[in-house]
Amino acid sequence: MRIYGWRLQQAGYLEQAVEIFERVLTQRKDEPQSYRDLALALSERWERSGHPADVIRAMELLYAVILKEWDRFPEIEIIALMELNRLILLAKTHAISIPEAIDKRLQRHLDLDVRISLSWDADLTDVDLHVFEPSGEHAYYGHKQTEMGGLVSRDFTQGYGPEEYVIKRAMPGKYIIK
């Protein structure tokens, strides 16, 4: 299940989001979020419409984030790689060829039970992801790795995020996200 800060699920918003993110990318090629936001909207549109061109472009955009060094956004490449590998797996299940430019050494299915990603739309802002696991353990920037294997990404304090929580084998129960 994916939860977005914007309401892409409603008819019409997805097309508007793609158009807006296309314009943002032309104006802000210096920020990885411009590529990532468009890639996520295109992948959502592909999952709804089934047009292979959308998922191919989404993969290319995420790969562009991975290839570049982003001074203000260290480690954004790792999150983009997670998102790219999710799309690669989905594309392969639909018999869609993966763009040849994507290095095969980076293509790997990452089997996770839970992945939570938090992004925001204000630059120079610090928003923090907190996850309370069923055991009661609190995962956040000050406690990045939990006993059951939960892992919180880098604490982004100067940009748009994202911050991420992942766990390979989740304990059954309630996870509280704040």
Side-chain angles (χ1 to χ4, degrees), residues 61-74:
L61 289 164
L62 290 169
Y63 192 57
V65 173
I66 294 164
L67 289 181
K68 188 171 178 185
E69 188 173 323
W70 306 94
D71 294 333
R72 281 189 48 217
F73 309 101

Side-chain angles (χ1 to χ4, degrees), residues 100-157:
E100 287 187 31
I102 297 175
D103 190 330
K104 293 197 183 341
R105 295 172 296 177
L106 298 176
Q107 297 180 33
R108 182 167 181 217
H109 172 61
L110 304 170
D111 186 24
L112 301 170
D113 281 349
V114 176
R115 178 177 176 259
I116 300 164
S117 183
L118 170 70
S119 298
W120 49 95
D121 63 359
D123 195 7
L124 302 174
T125 303
D126 184 14
V127 177
D128 295 315
L129 175 63
H130 294 259
V131 178
F132 295 85
E133 296 174 336
S135 66
E137 195 168 3
H138 177 195
Y140 68 106
Y141 66 88
H143 183 65
K144 292 181 178 258
Q145 191 162 8
T146 67
E147 286 188 33
M148 62 185 252
L151 181 65
V152 176
S153 68
R154 177 185 183 89
D155 183 25
F156 282 92
T157 60

Side-chain angles (χ1 to χ4, degrees), residues 2-9 40-41 43-44 47:
R2 281 171 295 178
I3 302 170
Y4 291 101
W6 58 85
R7 300 248 181 237
L8 295 184
Q9 286 77 8
L40 294 176
S43 68
E44 178 75 15
E47 288 183 64

